[in-house]
Amino acid sequence: MQRGYASAGAARRSAAGGGAEQNARTATHPIGGPEPKYPGAMEVVSSGPAGAAAAEDPAGAPAHLTAADRVELLRAMLQMRAIEARALALYKQGRVPGSFYDGFGQEAVSVGAAFAMGPRDRLCPLHRDLGAHLVRGVEPARILAQYMGRASGVTGGRDGNVHFGDRTTGVMGMVSMLPDMMCVATGMAMAFKLRGEARCALTWCGDGATSRGDFHEAMNWAGVQRLPVVFVLENNQFAYSTPLAKQFAVDPVERARVYGFPGVTVDGNDAEAVFEAVRAARERALAGEGPTLVEAVTMRMHGHAAHDDMRYVPPELLAAWAGRDPIERQERRVAALGVDADALRAEVEAEVEAAAAEALAAPMPDPADATRGVFAVGEPEPLGDGRAPWSGFA
Ligand SMILES: Cc1ncc(C[n+]2csc(CCOP(=O)(O)OP(=O)(O)O)c2C)c(N)n1
Ligand SMILES: [Mg+2]
């Protein structure tokens, strides 16, 4: 089953004699699914502003990002990685209860997409989308406290791990059943439409989500109603131990067309390409033209959770993706702009270390507080607006 991840694709491409794009879209896997998307194919699926090669070249600066924006993208990705690395160490020390999930290697997907959203837009991130919370303004110390179940965590110790959302930043707490957040985001977009508000909802879903009924319900209703919602399909090659070829028989991005709206594929390890695709999708949504499915192709570089040694992942696949690290890529870009990327990395690491010390010093919640907030009391409190650092909103 694990055969041919990188090599079969390369063979198909050379057999296609340059028709790699079509090949990536239509190739049939021996057991019936589409050919897995692999690093070597990314040149043909990237829809970055000027294509992957130019995007790597700082001279080909993207049209909608200033130099400061590009640094900000890097900063958020560095924060995400540093927080998750610190939290993983804390987990191994027994300080993080339950299990531990991270988005190592996928930082560009949550950061790039969230960066395209305005203050009054609403976001529904999933378990590998820590970058979205950071972009919207949740402080690292509160996130680390969240992992450790402390009173100062986002949920005040009610959920120790990834099912959180700081509603003051316009982010919904995650519903664990996947991909229910697609329905939540679609519902919010319906409200925006009914109220005539120029706002957009954004949510992420995994490749595994594509096999669930909620995926189709959300996509169908969003298409029928032409709702202002953006679905980012975080295709990280696996849903727990299930590879793509056992997940779907057709390329999932094709499904958008069936529901009446466009699906685009971007290099999910390129924060600027993800940003640009989601920015364009949001613009489309605000213009009343309806939803977009953005498939961000990436790789889950760690196990499903910290307990998972991912022995089902071919080592050569991991090695190939390790050479496409989204943070290193953005570091090269900002370094070419004259920014000291090493100093930025050191600054972020020091910030996260201080945040960890603050979180470790925070108290555990008072057990008497456990039932507070279970039922709504009094007037409903609406979600707040989040930070929207992209210069386009200045
Ligand atoms: C309906 C449902 N079934 C099972 C789970 C348990 N679960 C949590 S994450 C996950 C894997 C999901 O894979 P994918 O959608 O590809 O997202 P990824 O973890 O790869 O980001 C599973 C099975 C769940 N949360 N919801
Ligand atoms: Mg997945």
Side-chain angles (χ1 to χ4, degrees), residues 259-318:
Y259 291 117
F261 55 92
V264 296
T265 299
V266 291
D267 181 343
N269 281 25
D270 180 342
E272 296 185 359
V274 174
F275 163 80
E276 179 53 28
V278 175
R279 187 204 62 75
R282 176 180 182 272
E283 202 167 272
R284 195 174 170 277
L286 296 191
E289 292 167 22
T292 305
L293 176 68
V294 177
E295 181 200 27
V297 182
T298 182
M299 176 67 195
R300 198 191 71 205
M301 298 300 290
H302 283 175
H304 171 69
H307 66 271
D308 173 20
D309 65 9
M310 61 193 296
R311 70 181 62 172
Y312 50 84
V313 175
E316 61 275 18
L317 183 65
L318 273 180

Side-chain angles (χ1 to χ4, degrees), residues 10-58:
R12 283 173 192 279
R13 274 183 301 142
S14 63
E21 179 162 17
Q22 189 199 354
N23 189 50
R25 301 254 175 225
T26 59
T28 302
H29 191 272
I31 70 157
E35 190 67 38
K37 291 179 180 174
Y38 48 87
M42 295 311 300
E43 305 79 55
V44 298
V45 295
S46 174
S47 69
E56 188 72 44
D57 170 14

Side-chain angles (χ1 to χ4, degrees), residues 73 99 165 246 350:
L73 285 171
S99 47
K246 286 188 175 173

Side-chain angles (χ1 to χ4, degrees), residues 193-387:
K193 179 184 169 183
L194 289 172
R195 295 186 202 132
E197 296 172 346
R199 300 164 72 185
C200 182
L202 165 68
T203 190
W204 291 257
C205 66
D207 40 285
T210 62
S211 309
R212 298 277 308 171
D214 325 51
F215 177 88
H216 300 278
E217 290 174 30
M219 299 260 289
N220 185 56
W221 190 243
V224 168
Q225 292 286 332
R226 296 172 81 83
L227 297 179
V229 57
V230 180
F231 303 113
V232 175
L233 198 179
E234 200 154 2
N235 181 349
N236 64 0
Q237 318 291 327
F238 288 90
Y240 209 136
S241 55
T242 305
L244 302 186
K246 286 188 175 173
Q247 195 69 250
F248 27 66
V250 297
D251 192 328
V253 77
E254 301 291 343
R255 292 184 179 169
R257 190 169 47 84
V258 179
Y259 291 117
F261 55 92
V264 296
T265 299
V266 291
D267 181 343
N269 281 25
D270 180 342
E272 296 185 359
V274 174
F275 163 80
E276 179 53 28
V278 175
R279 187 204 62 75
R282 176 180 182 272
E283 202 167 272
R284 195 174 170 277
L286 296 191
E289 292 167 22
T292 305
L293 176 68
V294 177
E295 181 200 27
V297 182
T298 182
M299 176 67 195
R300 198 191 71 205
M301 298 300 290
H302 283 175
H304 171 69
H307 66 271
D308 173 20
D309 65 9
M310 61 193 296
R311 70 181 62 172
Y312 50 84
V313 175
E316 61 275 18
L317 183 65
L318 273 180
W321 280 94
R324 299 182 52 79
D325 185 79
I327 293 182
E328 289 172 14
R329 185 180 208 165
Q330 197 67 10
E331 279 179 337
R332 286 195 295 275
R333 287 173 173 155
V334 306
L337 293 171
V339 174
D340 187 343
D342 291 338
L344 180 63
R345 185 184 277 259
E347 182 187 314
V348 168
E349 281 171 3
E351 174 198 23
V352 169
E353 204 40 55
E358 186 182 331
L360 280 163
M364 287 295 181
D366 179 353
D369 200 36
T371 54
R372 187 178 55 79
V374 175
F375 297 105
V377 180
E379 288 300 306
E381 289 179 57
L383 300 183
D385 295 342
R387 203 170 72 100

